[in-house]
Amino acid sequence: MKYGTMNKILLLLFTTLLAVLAAGCGSSNEKNSPDAENTGAGGETPSFALGMLPSLDAIPFIIAHEQGFDRKRGVNLDIQTFKSAKDRDAAFQAGKLEGLSADLVAVAIYNNAGLDVKIASTTFGEFDLLTGNDGIKEVKDLKGKSLILSKNTSTEYTVATMLKQAGLSEQDIQVTEVPQIPTRLELLKNKKADAAVLPEPFVTMGKAAGLRVLGSTHSAGIQPFVLAIPQSAIDAKPKAIRAMYAAYDDAVAYMKSHDQSEYMDTVIKTVGYPETLKSQIKVPDYVPAAQVDAEQVAAAFAWTKEKGLLTRELSPEDVISDVQFKP
């Protein structure tokens, strides 16, 4: 064999060996990278299905997805928005959701029904108590008056807390159940009730129509809004959940560093504000995700037991998950 031919063969073998080693090193580095930990079968980013209501607590999650923060962190948020809690719960019970925006009363009811549902974090929500009755100046003036809400929910829990703080009880008012939020607002605007509990965007819509706010979950010092995740999903996708919260915090940072006008269209679309009220919308000062306060859980569970909605022993420790935060 000629010397030149031998050199060509050796060069070819050496080049092939380098290619193999480079591929091996690249594969090793990819497996050890943070993003690779969250990579699903076939190299695809794993998804996480979230059920949200059109409310304030959905906004950071939706911005996290629209801005691509979720995929950057290693998860693809599949956000499904429902018009009512009933529709959301139906999808959840059908196994179509891995997490959902909920509240402490709902968590108690889920677990009372035998569903192993945990609290992964708080979320940002708010209920306001509105009135159009000029004779009602504060919550204590509701005695003997009519109030519309959705029974056996956190709206009723909110009212019960406000009444107690004002020295009243639920027996001191006339309660009419109206689950449909838009209907509550219309009844209140048309003087068919003295007060009603409403979330956004109906609070802003009500104030634009001349209604007044008597109090809120914030003024009452209660925070019933949480992200609930079944234990089965926590066991199956802990890294995806942590990636979701990293993306959530990215979205909060984005909103703090950008003018509200840059994401106002997302807020309007998500929550359902009318375009005509665009100038009156005030986006909350969101903070990074955090775990729920055990005292808030205990207080809400105590109320659900009084109402007969919770018939088993259930403590905060039973439902608070440390998948992202230590309780």
Side-chain angles (χ1 to χ4, degrees):
M1 182 178 293
K2 293 183 179 180
Y3 182 78
T5 303
M6 178 64 75
N7 276 348
K8 289 181 181 179
I9 294 173
L10 288 175
L11 181 61
L12 179 61
L13 289 173
F14 183 68
T15 303
T16 304
L17 179 60
L18 283 178
V20 171
L21 287 174
C25 290
S27 175
S28 176
N29 289 337
E30 188 175 320
K31 288 178 182 177
N32 293 327
S33 68
D35 288 342
E37 287 186 344
N38 286 322
T39 302
E44 295 180 359
T45 301
S47 64
F48 195 81
L50 275 179
M52 313 294 292
L53 297 175
S55 57
L56 294 174
D57 55 359
I59 293 171
F61 291 102
I62 290 177
I63 287 181
H65 182 65
E66 288 190 349
Q67 294 296 322
F69 299 139
D70 55 345
R71 295 176 292 283
K72 179 181 177 182
R73 291 291 187 172
V75 65
N76 184 24
L77 294 180
D78 173 17
I79 300 174
Q80 303 173 35
T81 305
F82 299 90
K83 293 183 178 180
S84 71
K86 183 178 179 180
D87 293 338
R88 175 206 61 193
D89 289 347
F92 175 53
Q93 292 173 16
K96 296 179 180 179
L97 302 175
E98 295 166 299
L100 62 157
S101 61
D103 57 68
L104 295 175
V105 173
V107 169
I109 293 173
Y110 292 150
N111 280 275
N112 198 62
L115 300 174
D116 189 5
V117 177
K118 297 294 194 290
I119 297 170
S121 73
T122 60
T123 57
F124 193 104
E126 182 176 345
F127 290 142
D128 285 34
L129 179 61
L130 279 75
T131 183
N133 186 330
D134 293 336
I136 300 175
K137 305 298 182 184
E138 49 189 320
V139 175
K140 68 179 183 179
D141 298 331
L142 286 173
K143 187 172 183 178
K145 300 295 193 295
S146 60
L147 191 148
I148 48 181
L149 47 72
S150 180
K151 289 186 177 180
N152 300 333
T153 67
S154 275
T155 56
E156 186 178 8
Y157 170 57
T158 297
V159 168
T161 302
M162 291 181 181
L163 291 173
K164 185 177 181 180
Q165 292 173 350
L168 302 176
S169 70
E170 291 181 76
Q171 286 67 45
D172 290 318
I173 60 174
Q174 303 169 25
V175 174
T176 300
E177 180 171 23
V178 180
Q180 298 81 10
I181 299 172
T183 305
R184 283 185 233 162
L185 177 59
E186 288 306 310
L187 289 172
L188 195 56
K189 286 165 58 177
N190 291 309
K191 309 294 185 181
K192 301 298 183 182
D194 294 305
V197 182
L198 299 168
E200 289 289 7
F202 301 96
V203 173
T204 297
M205 293 164 66
K207 289 192 292 185
L211 303 179
R212 293 175 290 106
V213 175
L214 295 174
S216 68
T217 46
H218 290 172
S219 64
I222 58 176
Q223 167 54 311
F225 309 99
V226 298
L227 190 75
I229 302 179
Q231 185 61 51
S232 57
I234 292 173
D235 293 338
K237 294 186 175 181
K239 293 177 182 176
I241 293 170
R242 289 191 283 271
M244 172 186 70
Y245 279 116
Y248 180 99
D249 290 349
D250 289 342
V252 170
Y254 171 86
M255 285 187 281
K256 288 183 181 297
S257 62
H258 288 71
D259 189 85
Q260 182 173 303
S261 62
E262 295 184 43
Y263 54 87
M264 182 51 64
D265 288 342
T266 296
V267 173
I268 290 174
K269 179 179 66 175
T270 300
V271 184
Y273 286 102
E275 283 280 352
T276 54
L277 298 180
K278 192 171 185 176
S279 63
Q280 300 179 40
I281 300 171
K282 183 179 179 181
V283 177
D285 185 17
Y286 291 99
V287 297
Q291 186 50 282
V292 67
D293 184 343
E295 292 184 3
Q296 292 278 351
V297 181
F301 283 9
W303 180 82
T304 57
K305 290 198 79 169
E306 289 176 10
K307 297 291 292 185
L309 302 173
L310 181 61
T311 57
R312 53 171 286 197
E313 289 302 317
L314 193 66
S315 69
E317 293 72 26
D318 293 330
V319 297
I320 296 177
S321 170
D322 64 355
V323 64
Q324 173 69 15
F325 312 101
K326 293 294 181 183

